[in-house]
Each structure stands twice: as structure tokens, then as C-alpha cells.
Amino acid sequence: MSRITDYGFLFQTTFGTSKTNLVNNIQLSQMNSSSVQKQLKAAGIDTNSKKYKAALSEMMKNGNGAMFTNVQAIKNLMSQYDKNGDWIDPNTGLTGLAVTDENRNSYKHIISIPESSREEMFELAKKEFLNENGTLNGDTTKRESVYNNLYRKMDKDDRLSAGWTMEQYEHQYRQAFAKAAKAADPTWKAGKPIPVGALDGITRKSVESGKKSVDIKI
């Protein structure tokens, strides 16, 4: 799950003047000045908090010294972080789901995830595979709810890896369904009606035990 950032907290300058009224606006290059720090503290912003430091880091990363922000925009950005400075996913209210430059490559490894979540994904994948004749309909799929349920069961630091692990299981399930459909009808391809009963003999455990390509730690 990649993070989508709203850059509304930044105002770019145009021909030497801000696009908005400069009164009460703060230039990013002046954020650490004593006058700005006093202004922020007077507005009730704790500049020593992890929430503020996370918001400041975000502004500095995505802006430049010539850009402007304001107190309310800073407060709005701070509301996207918890007291530990961790980004809060707006869809789930959970932390630990931000893909960053630092973790982009490290979270992609198999970890143990609850059997109940794997079962939920298996049943949904099977149902949708049958309903959509082997295609994946992004408009109707309920996959996101399965992933969100999984994230709520996992520790913050394991959520990204748990999601990646679930993707591997999901892929395995769909591969098994497609293989069974082709076995029942060698001419079958995605989008064509699936032979009646073609998936009846497939269980989650049979799929997981038969796969050797992924080291599944259960």
C-alpha cells in the first residue's frame, strides 16, 4: 500500500509573491527561526513533539525554501501522524502502512500471518474467480477489506510485510483455480465461463502444501 500525499500544505511563489495572501504565511526556509517557532507555539503547536517533527520532515522533503505554508496547514498535516510520529493511513486509521524510500525494499519478505486471514482470502478469491470467470474486476472486488482485516491483526511493524505475504498467497490461490479450470476444459481462458464443479476439489490447505516456490513460514 503506497502512501498518497496531499501537498496542499505548500504554497509555491509566483513572480516573487505567494499565490495566497502572505499574511500569516510561513516560508519553509524560515521554519526553524525563533520568530516562527514562537508563532507556532503561540498557536498551540508543540514543536518538540514527534507529530510536528514528522510533519516538518514531510514539508521539507516535498517542498523547497521558496515555498510557503501556514499554521492551519501545519496542524492539518500533523493530524496525519500519531504521537510517535507515525503516518496514519486514512482508510484504516492504522499506522505502519506507509511505503517509504527507507522500507521500499525491506518489507517484501514472507512472514507468518493468521490462518483466519488466509482462509478469508481463499474464500473470497474463489468466489470472485467464479463470479468474474477468472478475471479480476477492480470495480467489484472486496480484496481491500480482507487486507484491512489482516492489518488490524498484525503489529504495526509487520503490516507491510503481512500485506506482501498475503499477496503471495492470493496469487497462489488464483493460479490453482486457473489450473483447475484448464484441467476441466483445456480451451478455458480468463473471461470464459468456468466448467461447473471445476474448483470443488480445491482447498486452501491443498494449495498451500503443494506450493514449493515460496518459503511460507506458518
Side-chain angles (χ1 to χ4, degrees), residues 160-205:
L160 282 177
S161 294
W164 191 85
T165 298
M166 180 69 92
E167 289 179 1
Q168 313 315 305
Y169 279 111
E170 182 184 7
H171 180 65
Q172 290 177 357
Y173 301 153
R174 292 184 61 84
Q175 275 191 324
F177 299 152
K179 183 177 180 179
K182 285 182 177 292
D185 177 6
T187 67
W188 180 85
K189 60 182 179 180
K192 182 178 178 180
I194 298 169
V196 176
L199 308 187
D200 289 353
I202 300 177
T203 66
R204 176 182 58 81
K205 290 184 178 180

Side-chain angles (χ1 to χ4, degrees), residues 49-116:
S49 69
K50 292 181 179 179
K51 293 180 70 167
Y52 171 76
K53 291 177 180 178
L56 179 62
S57 175
E58 185 72 16
M59 287 187 289
M60 293 303 184
K61 180 178 69 176
N62 295 302
N64 60 59
M67 288 184 174
F68 287 81
T69 186
N70 59 49
V71 168
Q72 188 57 53
I74 294 171
K75 287 184 176 181
N76 291 343
L77 185 59
M78 287 176 64
S79 71
Q80 298 177 24
Y81 298 88
D82 69 4
K83 64 180 181 180
N84 297 314
D86 293 319
W87 179 71
I88 303 170
D89 178 75
N91 296 316
T92 63
L94 299 174
T95 57
L97 293 174
V99 177
T100 65
D101 292 338
E102 290 75 20
N103 67 20
R104 189 174 302 278
N105 296 317
S106 62
Y107 76 86
K108 295 181 179 180
H109 60 273
I110 299 294
I111 66 171
S112 176
I113 62 175
E115 184 174 2
S116 59

